[in-house]
Amino acid sequence: MDISKKLVETHSLSKEECLELFSLFDVPESMEYIKEEAVKIRKKYYGTKVFTRGLIEFTNYCKNNCYYCGIRRDNRNIERYRLTEKEILDCCANGEKLGFRTFVLQGGEDPWYTEERIADIVRKIKKAHPDCAITLSVGEKSKETYQTWKKAGADRYLLRHETANEEHYHMLHPDSMYLSNRKKCLYELKELGYQVGAGFMVGSPGQTWEHLAEDLVFLQELQPQMVGIGPFIPHHDTRFANEKAGSVDLTLKLLSVLRLLLPKVLLPATTALGTLDPLGREKGLSAGANVVMPNLSPVENRKQYELYDNKICTGDEAAKCKNCLSARVRSAGYELVVDRGDYIG
Ligand code: 5AD
Ligand code: FES
């Protein structure tokens, strides 16, 4: 059987099969077929709905030193900030008025935000917005901490695996970070009943086709409810400042492949995609993505959460961001919905 047909019919590929599929990425008819099938299956499960998540970047302090990331610990050239509990709650209240039913609390790995402080915030958000889902994205913690947050009311957790290849992981992260622990965290989060999001950067320094095939195999093993992928974009204050950015085109192809490998997955058209191409997010939706994540953080802090250069949406109020995205979603033939947008099991 032709490998693209196997993908469409069985929704599974081995590492070797992924590599065979990648060799078709230059064949326009094959890619057209994959994209069409991805859109078809996305329509089957989600119709024309696009879910939206309000992103709150609540701290840019980070104890880690990922080589690609603008808010890494050793970057002395950024001004650090932490939102107060009240500021976070204000972002959520504003977000709810704008129609958001999911809040994503994302931050660096900031030890000031202890288990208890985060649990407190989660409880307060849940109390004020019982109909809303809370997603946490604050890095690698112990199973006990994840459990405390789950009990406090957290529903989902985003932790990109970044690359499923051990050696490549070490090219991107210092010795204090291990792929094995990252994977362990992802499995524990799943066990605890979180809806879990993994993912990786496309075109990160040193990434090979083999690595990408391993990413796809790992994601089939993990079966996450969400997968975040976006092109790597260099940040001027990192060791990768002069590396090439990832390809928008390849990211779009991989979005279609992911839609077919994990048919019901929640797949965002990411900010990084919109940063490299002004129509990147629209193209992402047309390739099989079904989620957008506009920024709800206070405008004063947006620029300080610069993971990569030229990040978009750093100057606009939440309301403006939402309207802009809503228009973009419509222009791609979809509709932004007011909904928690849970995984459909
Ligand atoms: N380019 C693109 N994406 C990046 N991220 C971090 N730094 C960069 C960069 N330079 C992504 C990582 C992380 C997510 C929050 O942002 O994949 O998990
Ligand atoms: Fe903060 Fe990587 S630099 S998690």
Side-chain angles (χ1 to χ4, degrees):
M1 197 189 334
D2 171 86
I3 197 68
S4 52
K5 201 146 190 206
K6 175 165 193 238
L7 168 64
V8 168
E9 284 174 12
T10 68
H11 310 295
S12 88
L13 293 177
S14 67
K15 180 174 171 191
E16 287 64 39
E17 290 170 334
C18 288
L19 289 166
E20 196 184 329
L21 182 75
F22 296 157
S23 71
L24 296 180
F25 276 13
D26 286 335
V27 182
E29 306 83 71
S30 301
M31 281 326 297
E32 205 44 52
Y33 170 65
I34 290 170
K35 185 175 164 183
E36 269 170 27
E37 293 295 326
V39 168
K40 234 191 256 173
I41 201 158
R42 179 241 189 271
K43 282 244 160 87
K44 172 174 166 196
Y45 290 117
Y46 291 104
T48 55
K49 285 184 187 169
V50 171
F51 299 123
T52 178
R53 281 69 168 101
L55 183 63
I56 303 169
E57 297 157 336
F58 71 97
T59 171
N60 72 351
Y61 283 86
C62 193
K63 70 178 173 62
N64 288 337
N65 228 348
C66 308
Y67 299 143
Y68 46 83
C69 183
I71 65 166
R72 58 202 297 269
R73 179 190 64 220
D74 289 351
N75 185 5
R76 305 271 170 249
N77 296 329
I78 57 167
E79 210 182 313
R80 302 283 169 172
Y81 75 93
R82 270 182 199 113
L83 300 190
T84 63
E85 192 177 279
K86 174 163 187 316
E87 286 173 313
I88 296 173
L89 287 164
D90 287 348
C91 288
C92 295
N94 185 25
E96 171 152 52
K97 280 197 214 111
L98 292 170
F100 292 94
R101 295 295 175 268
T102 295
F103 303 117
V104 181
L105 297 189
Q106 186 168 84
E109 291 200 19
D110 177 1
W112 188 88
Y113 272 107
T114 56
E115 176 179 319
E116 216 21 63
R117 281 186 171 135
I118 297 225
D120 255 5
I121 291 173
V122 169
R123 276 190 288 267
K124 285 184 180 141
I125 297 176
K126 262 279 135 100
K127 189 152 180 244
H129 309 281
D131 303 338
C132 295
I134 300 180
T135 305
L136 292 176
S137 180
V138 291
E140 298 175 26
K141 307 284 165 178
S142 68
K143 190 171 182 186
E144 290 68 39
T145 299
Y146 288 148
Q147 181 155 37
T148 304
W149 294 342
K150 187 86 197 16
K151 282 193 186 138
D155 304 280
R156 309 182 186 140
Y157 206 97
L158 303 181
L159 182 69
R160 288 191 180 177
H161 65 283
E162 311 297 357
T163 170
N165 177 279
E166 203 72 68
E167 247 172 83
H168 188 219
Y169 196 89
H170 281 293
M171 283 184 61
L172 300 178
H173 303 95
D175 287 346
S176 55
M177 292 177 76
Y178 298 96
L179 177 61
S180 54
N181 194 54
R182 210 148 180 101
K183 287 188 174 173
K184 179 167 165 272
C185 289
L186 284 163
Y187 281 104
E188 288 174 348
L189 286 160
K190 267 203 102 182
E191 267 171 52
L192 290 167
Y194 281 92
Q195 296 177 38
V196 170
F200 57 89
M201 291 176 287
V202 176
S204 57
Q207 185 179 63
T208 64
W209 290 110
E210 293 245 336
H211 297 156
L212 284 172
E214 289 172 39
D215 285 322
L216 297 186
V217 169
F218 170 66
L219 289 169
Q220 291 174 78
E221 258 167 45
L222 177 69
Q223 292 287 323
Q225 286 83 7
M226 305 163 284
V227 175
I229 67 166
F232 161 76
I233 304 175
H235 184 285
H236 59 280
D237 279 323
T238 64
R239 69 165 64 179
F240 295 143
N242 298 318
E243 297 286 332
K244 256 193 18 230
S247 145
V248 169
D249 194 51
L250 178 56
T251 306
L252 296 171
K253 289 172 181 167
L254 288 167
L255 281 172
S256 297
V257 172
L258 280 165
R259 169 61 60 211
L260 289 163
L261 280 178
L262 304 165
K264 298 178 182 172
V265 77
L266 294 158
L267 204 55
T270 53
T271 307
L273 202 50
T275 295
L276 281 192
D277 179 337
L279 293 177
R281 288 168 297 175
E282 289 87 330
K283 291 177 186 171
L285 295 172
S286 304
N290 60 344
V291 173
V292 290
M293 298 173 68
N295 206 316
L296 285 183
S297 315
V299 176
E300 309 85 86
N301 301 111
R302 299 270 185 97
K303 275 250 175 278
Q304 290 158 279
Y305 204 87
E306 212 179 33
L307 306 182
Y308 44 80
D309 288 343
N310 305 315
K311 192 173 156 215
I312 51 168
C313 307
T314 54
D316 296 329
E317 286 295 343
K320 227 173 141 192
C321 252
K322 158 136 199 239
N323 289 338
C324 158
L325 263 170
S326 167
R328 286 170 185 274
V329 165
R330 249 177 285 125
S331 82
Y334 295 91
E335 44 159 349
L336 209 56
V337 294
V338 177
D339 193 304
R340 277 171 53 120
D342 282 297
Y343 184 73
I344 51 175

